[in-house]
Amino acid sequence: MIPGGGQPNMQQLLQQAQKMQQDLANAQEELARTEVDGQAGGGLVKATVTGSGELRGLVIDPKAVDPEDTETLADLIVAAVQAANENAQALQQQKLGPLAQGLGGGSGIPGLPF
């Protein structure tokens, strides 16, 4: 209900929607620029991803390389990338969560990824 029984100010609603859209775009750009790390094997393998989940770097300590056991190395790489992606998802929630609440908090608004 609108206080006083009046009609909503459509211009004001449009401006608020445009501001939220711009805030969302700014947050997504910031996520794409921000890098987060994940590691496995006590730091033997480190992965760097952007806040939006793009793999940017992978560092493998020579101690992790055993030509006779490439499976363990592969497992460490997967674990490090997964850890980095989990950190990226946490960053996304931190940056985009308040914006999602401002847009109705996942109330089924079409076209929004949350």
Side-chain angles (χ1 to χ4, degrees), residues 9-93:
N9 181 334
M10 295 308 276
Q11 183 65 28
Q12 186 179 13
L13 289 175
L14 181 59
Q15 287 173 349
Q16 288 175 340
Q18 288 173 337
K19 182 186 181 319
M20 284 191 285
Q21 185 178 21
Q22 185 60 46
D23 290 347
L24 180 61
N26 290 342
Q28 288 172 328
E29 286 177 29
E30 185 179 341
L31 285 171
R33 289 190 310 265
T34 304
E35 292 186 347
V36 294
D37 294 320
Q39 60 179 322
L44 290 175
V45 176
K46 296 177 186 173
T48 302
V49 299
T50 64
S52 57
E54 179 185 344
L55 182 62
R56 287 283 176 92
L58 189 62
V59 177
I60 301 171
D61 186 307
K63 293 180 222 163
V65 180
D66 178 356
E68 302 296 318
D69 183 16
T70 57
E71 287 181 28
T72 298
L73 178 58
D75 289 344
L76 288 173
I77 292 169
V78 169
V81 171
Q82 285 175 337
N85 279 326
E86 287 172 9
N87 291 336
Q89 287 176 351
L91 182 62
Q92 287 174 10
Q93 284 293 87

